[in-house]
Amino acid sequence: MASRARDTKAATYVYGVLHAPKPPRLGRAPKGLVGTGALRLVDAGGGYHLVVATAPLDRYGSEIIDAKLRDLKWVAERAAAHEAVVEHASKLGTLVPMKLFTMFLSDQRAIAHVTAKKKTLDRIVQRIQGCEEWGVRVMLDETEAAQAEIARSARPTSGASFLLQKKEQRDVRATVAQRAAEAADAMFDEVEALAKRAVRRSAPNRELAGRVLLDAVFLVPRERSKMLASTVGAIAKDVARDGVHVRLTGPWPAYSFIEGR
Amino acid sequence: MTAPKRVSRRPSLAAPSRSRRDVVVRPVLEDYDASLLDVVDHVLTKGVVVSGDLVIGVAQVDLVYLRVSAILCAADRILPYARPRKKRS
């Protein structure tokens, strides 16, 4: 049963803000997060419709979520459910996807938020309309890369001293890292040229910084997705023998491009 | 030239982890699919979001952890053609 606006026992969980000229219909929608009510559309005016469900706070209160964030299984299940609804809603118009666990105290508060942010939303809709998000990661397998480099510069080892070998190994590692970093930069530049927007994310820690050479997200017009795939594919094929691996994921809803600005 | 295959984003909780490389994250990744971690990486917000009506905050430390997991796991799940597996006999 839908909760009343001021009912503090439940919140309004927002999957996204849909911009559609005509009132959309949900159709056969996924269920959404476990324990939440049926998916609903809430008219927020100006062609905006909130894709929401009622979330009981005894399951989705902030303390509960904070505690449960350590439970990857719990988070992952909800992330998958969230993503399924967002993907479904994306087909109904231009959807500004919300991140996981975006909640308001009531439908009214959510509507008020949309009304207050209308100009920002208009800009975001303009930006993401007809676009999809793609993720590109470029990773270095140092061992593989070094082997490839050694094989390439193979020469008779006769007479090579121990120290000389050591020095060569060091040089190889530096060469490999340098080449891989260049490949990652080239990847970013080439994909950025196809994208409307691009964000390069920094490695979450130092240990990974050496291995993850590129972790980027791109906002790409739908009609360029084939071009994107072949561009990434061509570079990936080119660098694979050097121990540099590329991973392309997508298309995603534009989660990373919904900041107001 | 082969077109790159899209990495499947249909998450499956049952799929076993293929991470072999990183012992540290392995326990976390057991029973997880790289694609599922990718979903988490994309949909989870960064930092704390408690402003006005927004009810929810998200602890930062866990996010970093999840991103590390996603990246490490992903390292093993690259585009199929990008890493020809040579059989050694």
Side-chain angles (χ1 to χ4, degrees):
Chain A
M1 182 161 302
S3 69
R4 295 287 308 147
R6 298 294 300 170
D7 191 344
T8 50
K9 289 194 168 65
T12 296
Y13 185 104
V14 184
Y15 288 95
V17 185
L18 191 59
H19 184 79
K22 284 188 202 161
R25 306 179 101 196
L26 278 173
R28 284 170 64 89
K31 277 187 175 160
L33 271 68
V34 61
T36 58
L39 207 61
R40 301 179 281 127
L41 280 173
V42 175
D43 193 335
Y48 287 103
H49 303 265
L50 292 153
V51 183
V52 306
T54 300
L57 285 176
D58 59 353
R59 294 182 79 159
Y60 292 104
S62 53
E63 306 82 40
I64 293 165
I65 290 177
D66 274 349
K68 288 284 193 181
L69 275 173
R70 281 161 212 289
D71 181 350
L72 187 52
K73 186 172 185 287
W74 191 90
V75 173
E77 279 168 359
R78 277 141 193 89
H82 181 92
E83 170 65 9
V85 171
V86 166
E87 279 192 25
H88 177 81
S90 296
K91 294 174 200 143
L92 311 175
T94 301
L95 184 81
V96 180
M98 292 295 119
K99 293 275 193 173
L100 191 61
F101 305 132
T102 301
M103 285 184 260
F104 289 84
L105 291 174
S106 66
D107 287 6
Q108 279 68 24
R109 297 285 190 102
I111 293 168
H113 185 78
V114 168
T115 310
K117 297 267 177 182
K118 191 175 175 302
K119 278 194 176 157
T120 310
L121 274 172
D122 288 344
R123 268 202 304 278
I124 296 168
V125 165
Q126 199 73 36
R127 179 195 305 159
I128 67 174
Q129 212 161 36
C131 293
E132 292 162 329
E133 180 172 323
W134 291 84
V136 177
R137 283 205 184 106
V138 177
M139 276 155 299
L140 174 67
D141 184 323
E142 277 190 318
T143 316
E144 228 177 274
Q147 279 165 359
E149 180 61 23
I150 286 163
R152 185 179 331 201
S153 61
R155 54 189 146 128
T157 50
S158 62
S161 76
F162 176 75
L163 281 174
L164 195 60
Q165 274 183 22
K166 274 281 172 214
K167 189 191 173 297
E168 271 174 6
Q169 281 170 8
R170 241 194 346 263
D171 291 349
V172 162
R173 216 169 297 156
T175 310
V176 152
Q178 173 74 22
R179 191 180 302 139
E182 279 164 13
D185 290 345
M187 174 70 91
F188 183 81
D189 292 347
E190 290 212 26
V191 181
E192 190 187 28
L194 296 173
K196 213 168 166 185
R197 282 197 176 207
V199 176
R200 196 168 178 164
R201 311 198 285 181
S202 53
N205 65 27
R206 284 189 61 195
E207 194 246 324
L208 273 182
R211 280 175 57 188
V212 183
L213 304 170
L214 178 68
D215 182 16
V217 276
F218 301 89
L219 186 68
V220 182
R222 203 167 286 130
E223 66 271 13
R224 288 193 204 151
S225 43
K226 270 194 186 146
M227 214 191 295
L228 167 93
S230 57
T231 301
V232 173
I235 303 175
K237 205 174 168 194
D238 215 36
V239 296
R241 71 185 77 92
D242 290 329
V244 176
H245 302 300
V246 176
R247 187 166 191 261
L248 173 69
T249 65
W252 297 93
Y255 288 115
S256 311
F257 300 95
I258 55 166
E259 306 292 323
R261 250 171 284 140
Chain B
M1 187 184 46
T2 347
K5 246 182 212 156
R6 253 179 63 187
V7 175
S8 163
R9 292 198 294 101
R10 283 290 144 232
S12 135
L13 282 169
S17 159
R18 296 195 194 163
S19 177
R20 275 169 269 113
R21 260 172 244 190
D22 205 296
V23 180
V24 182
V25 289
R26 197 165 176 176
V28 191
L29 297 177
E30 259 167 29
D31 304 327
Y32 286 94
D33 195 308
S35 56
L36 188 63
L37 285 171
D38 264 324
V39 173
V40 176
D41 192 37
H42 276 258
V43 307
L44 210 53
T45 190
K46 294 182 194 86
V48 182
V49 191
V50 189
S51 67
D53 292 326
L54 286 167
V55 186
I56 290 316
V58 171
Q60 206 133 23
V61 57
D62 302 279
L63 291 175
V64 171
Y65 193 44
L66 284 167
R67 274 200 70 205
V68 171
S69 310
I71 289 169
L72 287 178
C73 195
D76 242 20
R77 284 282 195 91
I78 38 118
L79 299 172
Y81 63 85
R83 184 183 220 182
R85 291 223 177 261
K86 283 180 193 126
K87 272 188 188 151
R88 292 196 178 203
S89 47

